[in-house]
Amino acid sequence: MDIIKYFYLWILWFVIVAVALLIYLFWYLYMKRKIMRHSVEREVSAQEAGGQADTEREVLASGAPAQGRKNRKNRHLWRRRTVKIYENDRVSGPCTIGWLRPGILLPDREYKESEMEWIRLHEMTHIRHRDIFWKLLCILACILHWYNPFAWYLLCQYGKMSEYYCDERCVEGRSMEEKKDYAMFLVREAVDKKAGAPVNYLSEKGEKMKERIRFILSAGKKKGMAVLMVG
């Protein structure tokens, strides 16, 4: 009798997981297609493209400018990691989308040169470390272990620590005044949290934003704790 009981419980778990996976996969692909349908490839300036004319208007995923012949080989090596910048009037702030061929989405408004530098460096760090892919794996872990609160805690902590790391890269070697400018830019671009949205926004409103600002202005003193939490 115990074997039969456990067998039925296993069947129940399998059905719940299979249905949840199918629903999430369908929803993700549908929402991504809907968002990209309203996206227009941005006319990237020479400054944004790294000072090199590029007919495909692509930006290196390393976030570093491509200049002259010495970097053509690097562009070839990074071809699979190039991303395109799009404008989309449906997004509230800068964000990335896609884990196979990631792209950067910008709202339909103008940004200053310094602001574009923040956006590019932050989002390229996400892409270079495949944060969207790893976050999807965390979501998969939550689906497989839907009954385990630690799985959901993992998802929350990974999202938080990945933002901390990108922020640290953006303010690395910067003066306190520049750090404050970056923090204020995050506040201005913060959006209301979109539950389960298939995009990774630059910043979101709420308590997490306050924690990020404290982390940025503390010169990364919480880095050790961040590494511990991710572990």
Side-chain angles (χ1 to χ4, degrees), residues 72-100:
R72 289 181 183 176
K73 183 177 180 181
N74 290 336
R75 283 192 60 83
H76 176 71
L77 293 175
W78 281 90
R79 186 171 298 280
R80 292 186 178 183
R81 291 189 179 182
T82 56
V83 297
K84 294 183 179 180
I85 299 178
Y86 300 90
E87 285 185 349
N88 190 309
D89 57 4
R90 301 297 180 92
V91 296
S92 305
C95 55
T96 56
I97 186 171
W99 59 277
L100 286 177

Side-chain angles (χ1 to χ4, degrees), residues 2-20 144 146:
D2 288 340
I3 295 178
I4 295 177
K5 180 176 67 176
Y6 287 125
F7 175 76
Y8 283 125
L9 287 175
W10 184 86
I11 291 295
L12 176 62
W13 172 85
F14 179 80
V15 169
I16 292 174
V17 169
V19 171
L144 293 175
W146 50 268

Side-chain angles (χ1 to χ4, degrees), residues 64-230:
Q67 297 177 354
R69 293 183 178 180
K70 64 180 180 180
N71 282 313
R72 289 181 183 176
K73 183 177 180 181
N74 290 336
R75 283 192 60 83
H76 176 71
L77 293 175
W78 281 90
R79 186 171 298 280
R80 292 186 178 183
R81 291 189 179 182
T82 56
V83 297
K84 294 183 179 180
I85 299 178
Y86 300 90
E87 285 185 349
N88 190 309
D89 57 4
R90 301 297 180 92
V91 296
S92 305
C95 55
T96 56
I97 186 171
W99 59 277
L100 286 177
R101 294 188 62 85
I104 298 177
L105 302 181
L106 299 176
D108 188 15
R109 57 176 176 267
E110 293 296 324
Y111 288 99
K112 295 186 296 186
E113 180 180 324
S114 59
E115 293 174 337
M116 278 303 304
E117 181 183 355
W118 295 129
I119 294 171
R120 185 176 58 188
L121 181 56
H122 185 102
E123 301 303 336
M124 289 301 178
T125 302
H126 274 306
I127 292 171
R128 183 160 55 88
H129 290 113
R130 300 181 179 89
D131 282 332
I132 295 181
F133 172 75
W134 293 114
K135 194 170 183 179
L136 285 175
L137 285 186
C138 290
I139 293 174
L140 176 61
C142 289
I143 293 175
L144 293 175
H145 297 269
W146 50 268
Y147 51 84
N148 188 345
F150 288 102
W152 298 96
Y153 184 72
L154 167 68
L155 175 62
C156 177
Q157 290 301 316
Y158 183 81
K160 182 189 298 185
M161 297 311 153
S162 64
E163 294 299 337
Y164 280 7
Y165 181 78
C166 291
D167 290 339
E168 185 179 30
R169 289 282 294 122
C170 285
V171 300
E172 186 176 11
R174 309 273 184 170
S175 66
M176 180 55 68
E177 193 64 32
E178 289 175 309
K179 291 178 181 179
K180 290 180 180 179
D181 289 341
Y182 175 67
M184 289 303 300
F185 175 62
L186 291 182
V187 172
R188 290 196 302 271
E189 292 299 315
V191 301
D192 292 321
K193 184 177 181 180
K194 306 293 191 302
V199 296
N200 190 27
Y201 277 104
L202 177 72
S203 60
E204 296 178 350
K205 297 178 181 178
E207 188 63 31
K208 289 183 179 180
M209 170 55 66
K210 296 179 182 179
E211 293 178 3
R212 285 179 67 181
I213 299 302
R214 286 195 291 267
F215 179 81
I216 293 169
L217 298 182
S218 66
K221 294 179 180 178
K222 297 181 180 179
K223 182 179 179 181
M225 180 60 68
V227 173
L228 177 63
M229 294 299 292
V230 170

